[in-house]
Coordinates of all heavy atoms in Angstrom, one line a residue:
M266 N 1.7 7.4 5.8 CA 1.5 8.4 6.9 C 0.1 9.2 6.6 O -0.5 9.6 7.5 CB 2.7 9.3 6.9 CG 2.6 10.4 7.9 SD 4.2 11.2 8.0 CE 3.8 12.5 8.9
I267 N -0.1 9.4 5.3 CA -1.4 10.1 5.0 C -2.6 9.3 5.2 O -3.6 9.8 5.5 CB -1.2 10.6 3.5 CG1 0.0 11.5 3.4 CG2 -2.4 11.3 3.1 CD1 -0.1 12.8 4.3
A268 N -2.5 8.0 5.0 CA -3.7 7.1 5.0 C -4.4 7.2 6.4 O -5.6 7.3 6.5 CB -3.4 5.7 4.7
P269 N -3.7 7.0 7.5 CA -4.4 7.1 8.8 C -5.1 8.5 9.0 O -6.1 8.6 9.6 CB -3.4 6.8 9.9 CG -2.2 6.2 9.2 CD -2.3 6.6 7.7
I270 N -4.4 9.6 8.6 CA -5.0 10.8 8.7 C -6.2 11.1 7.9 O -7.3 11.5 8.4 CB -4.0 12.0 8.4 CG1 -2.8 11.9 9.3 CG2 -4.5 13.4 8.4 CD1 -1.6 12.8 8.9
Y271 N -6.2 10.6 6.6 CA -7.3 10.6 5.8 C -8.6 9.8 6.4 O -9.6 10.2 6.5 CB -7.0 10.1 4.4 CG -8.2 10.1 3.5 CD1 -8.6 11.2 2.8 CD2 -8.8 8.9 3.1 CE1 -9.6 11.2 1.9 CE2 -9.9 8.9 2.3 CZ -10.2 10.1 1.7 OH -11.3 10.1 0.8
V272 N -8.3 8.6 6.9 CA -9.2 7.7 7.5 C -9.8 8.3 8.7 O -11.0 8.3 9.0 CB -8.6 6.4 7.8 CG1 -9.6 5.5 8.6 CG2 -8.3 5.6 6.5
A273 N -9.0 9.0 9.6 CA -9.4 9.6 10.8 C -10.4 10.8 10.5 O -11.3 11.1 11.2 CB -8.3 10.1 11.6
E274 N -10.2 11.5 9.4 CA -11.1 12.6 9.0 C -12.4 12.2 8.4 O -13.5 12.7 8.6 CB -10.4 13.5 8.0 CG -9.3 14.3 8.4 CD -8.7 15.2 7.5 OE1 -9.2 15.1 6.2 OE2 -7.8 15.9 7.7
I275 N -12.4 10.9 7.8 CA -13.6 10.5 7.1 C -14.5 9.6 8.0 O -15.8 9.8 8.0 CB -13.2 9.6 5.9 CG1 -12.5 10.5 4.8 CG2 -14.3 9.0 5.2 CD1 -13.3 11.6 4.3
L276 N -14.0 8.8 8.8 CA -14.7 7.7 9.6 C -15.3 8.3 10.9 O -14.8 9.3 11.4 CB -13.9 6.6 10.0 CG -13.5 5.7 8.7 CD1 -12.6 4.6 9.1 CD2 -14.7 5.2 8.0
S277 N -16.5 7.6 11.3 CA -17.0 8.0 12.6 C -16.1 7.5 13.8 O -15.2 6.7 13.6 CB -18.3 7.4 12.8 OG -18.2 6.0 12.9
A278 N -16.3 8.1 14.9 CA -15.4 7.9 16.2 C -15.5 6.5 16.6 O -14.6 5.9 17.2 CB -15.8 8.8 17.3
Q279 N -16.6 5.7 16.3 CA -16.7 4.3 16.9 C -15.8 3.4 16.2 O -15.2 2.4 16.8 CB -18.2 3.8 16.7 CG -19.2 4.5 17.6 CD -20.1 5.3 16.8 OE1 -20.2 5.3 15.6 NE2 -21.0 6.0 17.6
I280 N -15.6 3.5 14.9 CA -14.6 2.6 14.2 C -13.3 3.2 13.8 O -12.5 2.5 13.2 CB -15.4 2.0 12.9 CG1 -15.7 3.2 11.9 CG2 -16.5 1.2 13.4 CD1 -16.2 2.6 10.7
R281 N -13.0 4.4 14.1 CA -11.8 5.1 13.8 C -10.5 4.4 14.2 O -9.7 4.2 13.6 CB -11.9 6.5 14.2 CG -10.8 7.3 13.7 CD -10.8 8.8 14.2 NE -12.1 9.4 13.7 CZ -12.8 10.3 14.4 NH1 -12.3 10.7 15.6 NH2 -13.9 10.8 14.1
S282 N -10.6 4.0 15.5 CA -9.4 3.4 16.1 C -9.0 2.1 15.4 O -7.8 1.8 15.4 CB -9.6 3.2 17.6 OG -10.6 2.4 17.9
S283 N -10.0 1.3 15.2 CA -9.5 0.0 14.6 C -9.2 0.1 13.1 O -8.4 -0.7 12.7 CB -10.8 -1.0 14.7 OG -11.9 -0.4 14.0
V284 N -9.7 1.1 12.4 CA -9.4 1.2 11.0 C -8.1 1.9 10.7 O -7.4 1.7 9.8 CB -10.5 1.8 10.2 CG1 -10.2 2.1 8.8 CG2 -11.8 1.0 10.4
T285 N -7.6 2.8 11.7 CA -6.4 3.6 11.4 C -5.2 2.7 11.6 O -4.1 3.0 11.0 CB -6.4 4.8 12.4 OG1 -6.5 4.4 13.7 CG2 -7.3 5.8 12.1
S286 N -5.3 1.6 12.3 CA -4.1 0.8 12.4 C -4.1 -0.3 11.2 O -3.0 -0.9 11.0 CB -4.2 -0.1 13.7 OG -5.4 -0.9 13.7
L287 N -5.1 -0.2 10.3 CA -5.1 -1.2 9.2 C -3.9 -0.9 8.2 O -3.4 -2.0 7.7 CB -6.4 -1.1 8.5 CG -6.7 -2.2 7.4 CD1 -6.7 -3.6 8.1 CD2 -8.1 -1.9 6.8
P288 N -3.5 0.2 7.9 CA -2.4 0.4 6.9 C -1.2 -0.1 7.4 O -0.4 -0.7 6.7 CB -2.3 2.0 6.8 CG -3.7 2.5 7.1 CD -4.2 1.5 8.1
E289 N -0.9 0.0 8.7 CA 0.3 -0.7 9.3 C 0.4 -2.1 9.2 O 1.4 -2.8 8.9 CB 0.6 -0.1 10.8 CG 0.8 1.2 10.9 CD 2.0 1.8 10.1 OE1 3.0 1.1 10.1 OE2 1.9 2.9 9.6
I290 N -0.7 -2.7 9.5 CA -1.0 -4.2 9.4 C -0.7 -4.6 7.9 O 0.0 -5.6 7.6 CB -2.3 -4.7 9.9 CG1 -2.4 -4.4 11.4 CG2 -2.5 -6.1 9.6 CD1 -3.8 -4.5 11.9
C291 N -1.3 -3.9 6.9 CA -1.1 -4.2 5.5 C 0.4 -4.1 5.1 O 0.8 -4.8 4.3 CB -2.0 -3.3 4.7 SG -3.7 -3.7 4.9
I292 N 1.0 -3.0 5.6 CA 2.4 -2.9 5.3 C 3.2 -4.1 5.7 O 4.1 -4.6 5.0 CB 2.9 -1.6 5.7 CG1 2.2 -0.3 5.0 CG2 4.5 -1.5 5.7 CD1 2.7 1.1 5.7
S293 N 3.1 -4.4 6.9 CA 3.8 -5.6 7.5 C 3.6 -6.8 6.7 O 4.4 -7.6 6.4 CB 3.4 -5.8 8.9 OG 3.8 -4.6 9.7
F294 N 2.3 -7.1 6.4 CA 1.9 -8.3 5.7 C 2.4 -8.2 4.2 O 3.0 -9.3 3.7 CB 0.4 -8.4 5.6 CG -0.1 -9.6 5.0 CD1 0.2 -10.9 5.6 CD2 -0.8 -9.7 3.8 CE1 -0.4 -12.1 5.0 CE2 -1.3 -10.8 3.2 CZ -1.0 -12.0 3.9
S295 N 2.5 -7.1 3.7 CA 3.1 -7.0 2.3 C 4.6 -7.2 2.2 O 5.1 -7.8 1.3 CB 2.7 -5.7 1.7 OG 3.3 -4.6 2.3
I296 N 5.3 -6.8 3.4 CA 6.6 -7.0 3.4 C 6.9 -8.6 3.5 O 7.9 -9.1 2.8 CB 7.3 -6.3 4.7 CG1 7.3 -4.8 4.3 CG2 8.7 -6.8 4.9 CD1 7.7 -4.0 5.5
L297 N 6.1 -9.2 4.2 CA 6.2 -10.7 4.4 C 6.1 -11.4 3.0 O 6.8 -12.2 2.6 CB 5.3 -11.2 5.4 CG 5.2 -12.8 5.6 CD1 6.6 -13.3 6.1 CD2 4.0 -13.1 6.5
I298 N 5.0 -11.0 2.3 CA 4.7 -11.6 1.0 C 5.9 -11.3 0.1 O 6.2 -12.1 -0.7 CB 3.5 -11.1 0.4 CG1 2.2 -11.6 1.3 CG2 3.2 -11.4 -1.0 CD1 0.9 -11.0 1.0
R299 N 6.3 -10.0 0.1 CA 7.4 -9.7 -0.8 C 8.7 -10.6 -0.5 O 9.4 -11.0 -1.5 CB 7.8 -8.2 -0.5 CG 8.7 -7.7 -1.6 CD 8.0 -7.4 -2.8 NE 8.9 -7.7 -3.9 CZ 8.7 -8.2 -5.1 NH1 7.5 -8.7 -5.3 NH2 9.5 -8.3 -6.0
Y300 N 9.0 -10.9 0.8 CA 10.2 -11.7 1.1 C 9.9 -13.1 0.5 O 10.9 -13.7 -0.1 CB 10.4 -11.8 2.5 CG 11.3 -10.6 3.1 CD1 10.8 -9.9 4.2 CD2 12.5 -10.3 2.4 CE1 11.6 -8.8 4.6 CE2 13.2 -9.2 2.9 CZ 12.8 -8.5 4.0 OH 13.5 -7.4 4.5
M301 N 8.7 -13.6 0.6 CA 8.4 -15.0 0.2 C 8.5 -15.0 -1.4 O 9.0 -16.0 -1.9 CB 7.1 -15.4 0.7 CG 7.1 -15.6 2.2 SD 5.5 -16.4 2.9 CE 4.2 -15.7 1.9
A302 N 8.0 -14.0 -2.0 CA 8.0 -14.0 -3.5 C 9.5 -13.9 -4.0 O 9.9 -14.6 -4.9 CB 7.3 -12.8 -4.0
N303 N 10.4 -13.1 -3.3 CA 11.7 -13.0 -3.7 C 12.4 -14.3 -3.5 O 13.3 -14.7 -4.3 CB 12.4 -11.8 -2.9 CG 12.0 -10.5 -3.5 OD1 11.5 -10.4 -4.6 ND2 12.2 -9.5 -2.7
Y304 N 12.1 -15.0 -2.4 CA 12.7 -16.3 -2.1 C 12.4 -17.3 -3.3 O 13.3 -18.0 -3.8 CB 12.3 -16.8 -0.8 CG 12.9 -18.2 -0.5 CD1 14.2 -18.4 -0.2 CD2 12.0 -19.3 -0.5 CE1 14.7 -19.7 0.1 CE2 12.4 -20.6 -0.4 CZ 13.8 -20.8 0.0 OH 14.3 -22.0 0.3
L305 N 11.1 -17.3 -3.7 CA 10.7 -18.2 -4.8 C 11.3 -17.7 -6.1 O 11.6 -18.6 -6.9 CB 9.2 -18.2 -4.8 CG 8.6 -18.9 -3.6 CD1 7.0 -18.7 -3.7 CD2 8.9 -20.3 -3.5
L306 N 11.4 -16.5 -6.4 CA 11.9 -16.1 -7.7 C 13.3 -16.1 -7.8 O 13.9 -15.9 -8.9 CB 11.4 -14.6 -7.9 CG 9.8 -14.4 -8.2 CD1 9.4 -13.0 -8.2 CD2 9.4 -15.2 -9.3
A307 N 14.1 -16.2 -6.6 CA 15.5 -16.4 -6.7 C 16.0 -17.5 -7.5 O 17.2 -17.5 -7.8 CB 16.1 -16.2 -5.3
K308 N 15.2 -18.5 -7.6 CA 15.6 -19.7 -8.3 C 15.5 -19.5 -9.9 O 16.0 -20.4 -10.6 CB 14.7 -20.8 -7.9 CG 15.0 -21.2 -6.4 CD 14.0 -22.3 -5.9 CE 14.4 -22.5 -4.4 NZ 13.5 -22.8 -3.6
L309 N 15.0 -18.4 -10.3 CA 14.9 -18.2 -11.8 C 16.4 -17.8 -12.3 O 17.2 -17.3 -11.4 CB 14.0 -17.0 -12.0 CG 12.5 -17.3 -11.9 CD1 11.7 -16.0 -12.1 CD2 12.0 -18.4 -12.8
P310 N 16.6 -17.9 -13.5 CA 17.9 -17.4 -14.1 C 18.1 -16.0 -13.8 O 17.1 -15.2 -13.6 CB 17.7 -17.7 -15.6 CG 16.7 -18.7 -15.7 CD 15.8 -18.6 -14.5
L311 N 19.3 -15.6 -13.6 CA 19.7 -14.2 -13.2 C 19.0 -13.1 -14.2 O 18.6 -12.1 -13.8 CB 21.1 -14.0 -13.2 CG 21.7 -12.7 -12.7 CD1 21.2 -12.4 -11.3 CD2 23.2 -12.6 -12.7
V312 N 18.9 -13.5 -15.5 CA 18.5 -12.6 -16.5 C 16.9 -12.2 -16.2 O 16.5 -11.1 -16.4 CB 18.7 -13.1 -17.8 CG1 18.0 -12.2 -19.0 CG2 20.1 -13.4 -18.2
Y313 N 16.2 -13.2 -15.9 CA 14.7 -13.1 -15.6 C 14.3 -12.8 -14.2 O 13.4 -12.2 -13.9 CB 14.0 -14.3 -16.1 CG 14.3 -14.7 -17.5 CD1 15.0 -15.9 -17.8 CD2 13.9 -13.9 -18.5 CE1 15.2 -16.3 -19.1 CE2 14.2 -14.3 -19.8 CZ 14.7 -15.4 -20.1 OH 15.0 -15.8 -21.4
G314 N 15.2 -13.2 -13.3 CA 14.8 -13.1 -11.9 C 14.6 -11.7 -11.4 O 13.6 -11.3 -10.8
W315 N 15.6 -10.9 -11.6 CA 15.5 -9.5 -11.1 C 14.5 -8.7 -11.8 O 13.8 -7.8 -11.3 CB 16.8 -8.8 -11.0 CG 17.4 -8.4 -12.3 CD1 18.2 -9.1 -13.3 CD2 17.3 -7.1 -13.0 NE1 18.5 -8.3 -14.4 CE2 17.9 -7.1 -14.2 CE3 16.6 -6.0 -12.6 CZ2 17.9 -6.1 -15.1 CZ3 16.6 -4.8 -13.4 CH2 17.2 -4.9 -14.6
H316 N 14.3 -9.0 -13.2 CA 13.3 -8.2 -13.8 C 11.8 -8.5 -13.3 O 11.0 -7.7 -13.2 CB 13.2 -8.7 -15.4 CG 14.3 -8.1 -16.1 ND1 15.5 -8.8 -16.3 CD2 14.5 -6.9 -16.7 CE1 16.3 -8.1 -17.1 NE2 15.8 -6.9 -17.3
T317 N 11.6 -9.8 -13.0 CA 10.3 -10.2 -12.4 C 10.1 -9.7 -11.1 O 9.1 -9.1 -10.7 CB 10.3 -11.8 -12.3 OG1 10.6 -12.4 -13.5 CG2 8.9 -12.3 -11.9
M318 N 11.2 -9.7 -10.2 CA 11.1 -9.0 -8.9 C 10.8 -7.6 -8.9 O 9.9 -7.1 -8.2 CB 12.4 -9.3 -8.0 CG 12.7 -10.7 -7.7 SD 14.2 -10.8 -6.8 CE 14.5 -12.5 -6.8
L319 N 11.4 -6.9 -9.9 CA 11.2 -5.5 -10.0 C 9.8 -5.2 -10.5 O 9.2 -4.2 -10.0 CB 12.3 -4.8 -10.9 CG 12.2 -3.3 -11.0 CD1 12.6 -2.7 -9.7 CD2 13.2 -2.9 -12.1
G320 N 9.4 -5.9 -11.5 CA 8.1 -5.7 -12.0 C 7.0 -6.0 -11.0 O 5.9 -5.3 -11.0
L321 N 7.1 -7.1 -10.2 CA 6.1 -7.4 -9.2 C 6.1 -6.3 -8.1 O 5.0 -6.1 -7.5 CB 6.3 -8.7 -8.7 CG 6.0 -10.0 -9.5 CD1 6.4 -11.3 -8.9 CD2 4.6 -10.0 -9.9
G322 N 7.1 -5.8 -7.8 CA 7.2 -4.7 -6.8 C 6.6 -3.5 -7.3 O 6.1 -2.6 -6.5
A323 N 6.6 -3.2 -8.6 CA 5.9 -2.0 -9.1 C 4.4 -2.2 -9.3 O 3.7 -1.1 -9.2 CB 6.5 -1.7 -10.5
L324 N 3.8 -3.4 -9.3 CA 2.4 -3.5 -9.4 C 1.7 -2.9 -8.2 O 0.6 -2.1 -8.4 CB 2.0 -5.0 -9.5 CG 2.3 -5.6 -10.9 CD1 2.0 -7.1 -10.8 CD2 1.5 -4.9 -11.9
P325 N 1.9 -3.0 -6.9 CA 1.2 -2.4 -5.9 C 1.3 -1.0 -5.9 O 0.3 -0.2 -5.6 CB 1.8 -3.0 -4.6 CG 2.5 -4.3 -5.0 CD 2.9 -4.1 -6.4
S326 N 2.4 -0.4 -6.3 CA 2.5 1.0 -6.4 C 1.6 1.6 -7.6 O 1.0 2.7 -7.3 CB 3.9 1.5 -6.8 OG 4.8 1.0 -5.7
A327 N 1.5 0.9 -8.6 CA 0.6 1.3 -9.7 C -0.8 1.2 -9.3 O -1.6 2.2 -9.5 CB 0.9 0.5 -10.9
M328 N -1.2 0.2 -8.6 CA -2.6 0.0 -8.1 C -2.9 1.1 -7.1 O -4.0 1.7 -7.1 CB -2.7 -1.3 -7.5 CG -2.8 -2.4 -8.5 SD -3.1 -4.1 -8.0 CE -3.0 -4.1 -6.3
L329 N -2.0 1.4 -6.3 CA -2.2 2.5 -5.2 C -2.4 3.9 -5.9 O -3.2 4.7 -5.5 CB -1.0 2.6 -4.2 CG -1.2 3.6 -3.1 CD1 -2.4 3.3 -2.3 CD2 0.1 3.7 -2.3
T330 N -1.6 4.1 -6.9 CA -1.7 5.4 -7.7 C -3.0 5.5 -8.3 O -3.7 6.6 -8.2 CB -0.6 5.5 -8.8 OG1 0.7 5.3 -8.1 CG2 -0.6 6.8 -9.5
V331 N -3.5 4.5 -9.0 CA -4.8 4.6 -9.6 C -5.9 4.7 -8.5 O -6.9 5.5 -8.7 CB -5.1 3.2 -10.5 CG1 -6.5 3.2 -10.9 CG2 -4.1 3.2 -11.6
S332 N -5.8 4.0 -7.4 CA -6.9 4.1 -6.4 C -6.9 5.4 -5.7 O -8.0 5.9 -5.2 CB -6.7 2.9 -5.3 OG -5.5 3.1 -4.6
V333 N -5.8 6.0 -5.5 CA -5.7 7.4 -4.9 C -6.5 8.4 -5.7 O -7.2 9.4 -5.2 CB -4.3 7.8 -4.6 CG1 -4.2 9.3 -4.3 CG2 -3.8 7.1 -3.4
L334 N -6.4 8.3 -7.1 CA -7.0 9.2 -7.9 C -8.7 9.1 -7.8 O -9.3 10.1 -8.1 CB -6.7 8.9 -9.4 CG -5.2 9.2 -9.7 CD1 -4.9 8.8 -11.1 CD2 -4.9 10.7 -9.6
A335 N -9.2 8.0 -7.3 CA -10.6 7.7 -7.2 C -11.1 8.2 -5.8 O -12.3 8.1 -5.6 CB -10.9 6.3 -7.4
M336 N -10.2 8.4 -4.9 CA -10.6 8.8 -3.5 C -11.3 10.2 -3.5 O -10.8 11.1 -4.1 CB -9.5 8.8 -2.6 CG -8.8 7.5 -2.3 SD -7.3 7.5 -1.3 CE -7.6 8.6 0.0
P337 N -12.4 10.3 -2.6 CA -13.0 11.6 -2.6 C -12.1 12.5 -1.7 O -11.3 12.0 -0.9 CB -14.4 11.3 -1.9 CG -14.1 9.9 -1.1 CD -13.1 9.3 -2.0
E338 N -12.3 13.8 -1.7 CA -11.6 14.7 -1.0 C -12.0 14.6 0.5 O -13.2 14.4 0.8 CB -11.8 16.2 -1.5 CG -11.2 16.6 -2.8 CD -12.0 16.2 -3.9 OE1 -13.1 15.8 -3.8 OE2 -11.5 16.3 -5.0
S339 N -11.2 14.8 1.4 CA -11.5 14.9 2.8 C -12.1 16.1 3.2 O -12.0 17.1 2.5 CB -10.2 14.6 3.6 OG -9.4 15.8 3.6
P340 N -12.8 16.2 4.3 CA -13.4 17.4 4.8 C -12.5 18.5 4.9 O -12.8 19.7 4.7 CB -14.1 17.0 6.1 CG -14.4 15.5 6.0 CD -13.2 15.0 5.2
W341 N -11.3 18.3 5.4 CA -10.3 19.2 5.7 C -9.8 19.8 4.4 O -9.7 21.1 4.2 CB -9.0 18.6 6.4 CG -7.9 19.6 6.5 CD1 -6.8 19.7 5.9 CD2 -7.9 20.6 7.5 NE1 -6.1 20.7 6.3 CE2 -6.7 21.3 7.4 CE3 -8.8 21.0 8.5 CZ2 -6.3 22.4 8.1 CZ3 -8.4 22.2 9.2 CH2 -7.2 22.8 9.0
W342 N -9.8 19.1 3.3 CA -9.4 19.5 1.9 C -10.5 20.5 1.4 O -10.3 21.4 0.9 CB -9.1 18.4 1.0 CG -8.8 18.8 -0.3 CD1 -9.7 18.9 -1.5 CD2 -7.6 19.3 -0.8 NE1 -9.1 19.3 -2.5 CE2 -7.8 19.6 -2.2 CE3 -6.3 19.5 -0.3 CZ2 -6.7 20.0 -3.0 CZ3 -5.3 20.0 -1.1 CH2 -5.6 20.2 -2.5
L343 N -11.8 20.1 1.6 CA -12.9 20.9 1.2 C -12.9 22.2 1.9 O -13.3 23.2 1.3 CB -14.2 20.0 1.4 CG -14.3 18.8 0.5 CD1 -15.5 18.1 0.8 CD2 -14.3 19.2 -1.0
I344 N -12.6 22.2 3.2 CA -12.7 23.5 3.9 C -11.6 24.4 3.4 O -11.8 25.7 3.3 CB -12.4 23.2 5.4 CG1 -13.6 22.5 6.0 CG2 -12.1 24.5 6.2 CD1 -13.4 22.0 7.5
M345 N -10.4 23.9 3.0 CA -9.3 24.8 2.5 C -9.8 25.3 1.1 O -9.4 26.4 0.8 CB -8.0 24.0 2.4 CG -7.4 23.6 3.8 SD -5.9 22.6 3.8 CE -4.9 23.3 2.5

């Protein structure tokens, strides 16, 4: 929810509309990839399968956390 607002504040009006829909497309694509990965990992033994599924699910969250720390402040944040 925050990503489209941040992008709308940063980008120019010409490309804003096409880029603000990008997070929703990425979310839908990642759900599809997650289902395919879980289907493939379901064949692992029970002891290893759920550990691997949980660990792979935590990787995108960790990458997002690190990348958010590197983002510059938006103009609205600087005004406040």
Side-chain angles (χ1 to χ4, degrees):
M266 185 169 166
I267 299 299
I270 295 171
Y271 179 79
V272 168
E274 290 180 0
I275 297 296
L276 294 178
S277 64
Q279 289 116 3
I280 60 172
R281 185 180 305 150
S282 61
S283 61
V284 176
T285 53
S286 62
L287 190 61
E289 295 300 322
I290 293 169
C291 290
I292 289 170
S293 299
F294 187 65
S295 66
I296 290 171
L297 175 65
I298 290 173
R299 191 74 210 144
Y300 277 129
M301 292 187 323
N303 285 341
Y304 177 74
L305 295 173
L306 293 173
K308 296 177 175 139
L309 290 175
L311 185 60
V312 175
Y313 303 115
W315 73 272
H316 287 97
T317 309
M318 289 179 194
L319 186 65
L321 287 176
L324 284 176
S326 299
M328 291 183 345
L329 181 64
T330 302
V331 171
S332 65
V333 164
L334 296 174
M336 288 173 46
E338 288 85 6
S339 69
W341 178 254
W342 178 261
L343 294 174
I344 289 172
M345 290 176 44

